[in-house]
Amino acid sequence: MTTEAPAAPGVHDAQQRFDAMIAADERIEPRDWMPDGYRRTLIRQIAQHAHSEIIGMQPEGNWITRAPSLKRKAVLIAKVQDEAGHGLYLYSAAETLGVSREELLDLLHEGRQRYSSIFNYPTLTWADVGAIGWLVDGAAITNQVPLCRCSYGPYARAMVRICKEESFHQRQGFDALYVLARGAEAQRRMAQDAVDRWYWPSLMMFGPPDTESAHSEQSMAWNIKRFSNDELRQRFVDIIVPQAEALGLTLPDPDIAWNAERGHYDFGTPDWDEFKQVLKGSGPCNRQRLEHRRKAHADGAWVREAAQAHAAKQAARRAAGDREAA
Ligand code: BYC
């Protein structure tokens, strides 16, 4: 008697299986069937996230040579290196979806994929490094901790390590600002000025208001996003208001007030026109960031070529060794 292998499940069955896995809050892995839209959404989001990590090295990298002490310099170098590492984990996660890192970098360099709006603002003083750590990394953690439970396995797993490292980044930023806020009057003013400039852009990191968020509903249905943009923005404000008090600095938002009925802080509305301009490429540093990235990529071509030549030589040696042993 011969037994026939079961027919490959049709797309309909595969879709049902996928839907059931999402409903049961299970992880989707690279070899599982997934709808095209799910794959496209993940590639878009993970690539945007990876690009943000490597572009995000620039504003802070700007202060490595001018960090005020050896300790601050060492900490900043470690942080900027961490961002490069995050980029690598995320490009690897994106590659499991069938795209290559080269393709994604080309899309970034051609301006066809986005990176976070936040990195189009300049770092004018040393206090900006503190404000980025406290507010930008703080916003990133608020957004990214729920991504550790994202339905796509490789992205969720990458986020676990990234979030641990982001916590260290946030603490170093808070610490740098804390020291400045308690220093000379000029240092305190510098810390306040940095917070004044980074507060609103950090609220914009969470994306447009829910009413204008094109992807949230579908991404939440797929368990990619666990909370909406506005929910996470609110969570972030609730965290930073008491932290600002502990720092002795004020947030440049006259609408911040505790709302006992809601159990949350009320806060003002970011300038969404400015956000749209930054997304269109007209932020203060868009052009500079992309030009620097393209140049860094071109300057690094010899490293990639040398690594490939080395790998080819090793492979040829291994093959020759195998032939001799045979
Ligand atoms: N900037 O439908 P929506 C870091 C776009 S790195 C630019 O709500 P979604 C760090 C969005 O792409 C932190 N674009 O989108 C690194 C969409 O455009 P398209 C980076 C934005 O995806 C170094 C359109 O607006 N974090 O922490 O559902 C040093 C409509 O938006 C932004 C991540 O990438 C923005 N802020 O939600 C220090 C987290 N917001 O594609 C620190 C992962 C929205 O339709 N990403 N857009 O043309 C996410 O969680 C989500 O993608 C977002 C947006 C919440 C950002």
Side-chain angles (χ1 to χ4, degrees):
M1 197 178 89
T2 55
T3 49
E4 254 181 29
V11 171
H12 181 69
D13 295 337
Q15 175 80 53
Q16 276 189 340
R17 189 168 168 274
F18 173 87
D19 291 344
M21 287 175 79
I22 295 290
D25 206 0
E26 285 174 21
R27 296 280 166 276
I28 307 296
E29 296 297 338
R31 288 191 186 156
D32 292 331
W33 182 92
M34 61 186 84
D36 286 345
Y38 179 82
R39 187 183 298 274
R40 271 198 310 275
T41 297
L42 280 167
I43 292 175
R44 177 184 62 78
Q45 178 166 330
I46 301 173
Q48 176 169 325
H49 196 163
H51 300 330
S52 305
E53 297 285 355
I54 61 167
I55 295 269
M57 296 166 74
Q58 292 183 36
E60 293 176 287
N62 182 35
W63 280 91
I64 289 175
T65 54
R66 290 170 291 164
S69 70
L70 180 62
K71 183 180 131 199
R72 294 280 179 210
K73 190 199 276 277
V75 170
L76 184 56
I77 290 172
K79 179 183 193 284
V80 173
Q81 281 177 345
D82 282 352
E83 315 295 1
H86 297 176
L88 294 184
Y89 314 152
L90 289 164
Y91 285 120
S92 299
E95 284 191 315
T96 64
L97 291 158
V99 282
S100 71
R101 195 159 110 197
E102 288 72 24
E103 278 174 74
L104 297 179
L105 284 173
D106 285 347
L107 290 170
L108 169 66
H109 298 153
E110 290 160 13
R112 294 203 286 137
Q113 272 181 344
R114 300 185 188 287
Y115 58 89
S116 180
S117 51
I118 193 75
F119 301 116
N120 293 305
Y121 293 86
T123 39
L124 303 180
T125 71
W126 166 253
D128 289 23
V129 171
I132 290 182
W134 176 45
L135 292 173
V136 176
D137 290 286
I141 296 170
T142 310
N143 166 274
Q144 290 169 18
V145 165
L147 290 175
C148 298
R149 294 190 292 114
C150 161
S151 58
Y152 188 56
Y155 190 29
R157 288 189 287 276
M159 291 319 302
V160 173
R161 180 154 171 192
I162 291 178
C163 284
K164 285 186 183 159
E165 292 175 354
E166 295 291 8
S167 304
F168 151 68
H169 297 172
Q170 195 268 355
R171 287 291 297 275
Q172 68 83 35
F174 186 89
D175 180 69
L177 275 186
Y178 191 86
V179 169
L180 289 175
R182 273 157 187 72
E185 180 51 24
Q187 288 173 309
R188 201 204 62 77
R189 274 204 308 273
M190 193 166 79
Q192 183 60 59
D193 169 63
V195 170
D196 289 348
R197 285 181 290 104
W198 288 94
Y199 169 75
W200 292 108
S202 69
L203 293 193
M204 295 175 194
M205 284 176 73
F206 295 92
D210 292 352
T211 47
E212 288 174 36
S213 168
H215 306 292
S216 280
E217 197 181 331
Q218 180 60 74
S219 288
M220 288 173 75
W222 276 328
N223 291 344
I224 294 174
K225 283 167 87 161
R226 297 286 177 161
F227 300 97
S228 76
N229 300 354
D230 286 334
E231 283 170 332
L232 291 173
R233 199 170 1 255
Q234 176 71 65
R235 186 177 288 188
F236 176 60
V237 171
D238 289 345
I239 292 170
I240 60 171
V241 171
Q243 290 182 348
E245 279 165 22
L247 282 169
L249 298 172
T250 53
L251 295 170
D253 183 346
D255 293 326
I256 289 181
W258 177 249
N259 184 325
E261 213 173 289
R262 294 198 308 119
H264 292 289
Y265 284 96
D266 290 335
F267 59 101
T269 306
D271 181 347
W272 292 118
D273 287 336
E274 176 183 315
F275 176 71
K276 283 178 195 150
Q277 286 305 317
V278 173
L279 258 59
K280 274 194 205 147
S282 310
C285 300
N286 291 62
R287 183 185 298 236
Q288 177 188 335
R289 298 290 184 239
L290 260 190
E291 271 172 15
H292 187 88
R293 172 94 270 291
R294 289 193 197 107
K295 182 174 181 313
H297 191 70
D299 289 350
W302 71 270
V303 179
R304 294 189 293 278
E305 282 160 20
Q308 269 168 355
H310 180 71
K313 202 161 82 182
Q314 298 288 94
R317 277 202 191 132
R318 262 197 311 276
D322 287 351
R323 271 198 303 278
E324 253 172 51

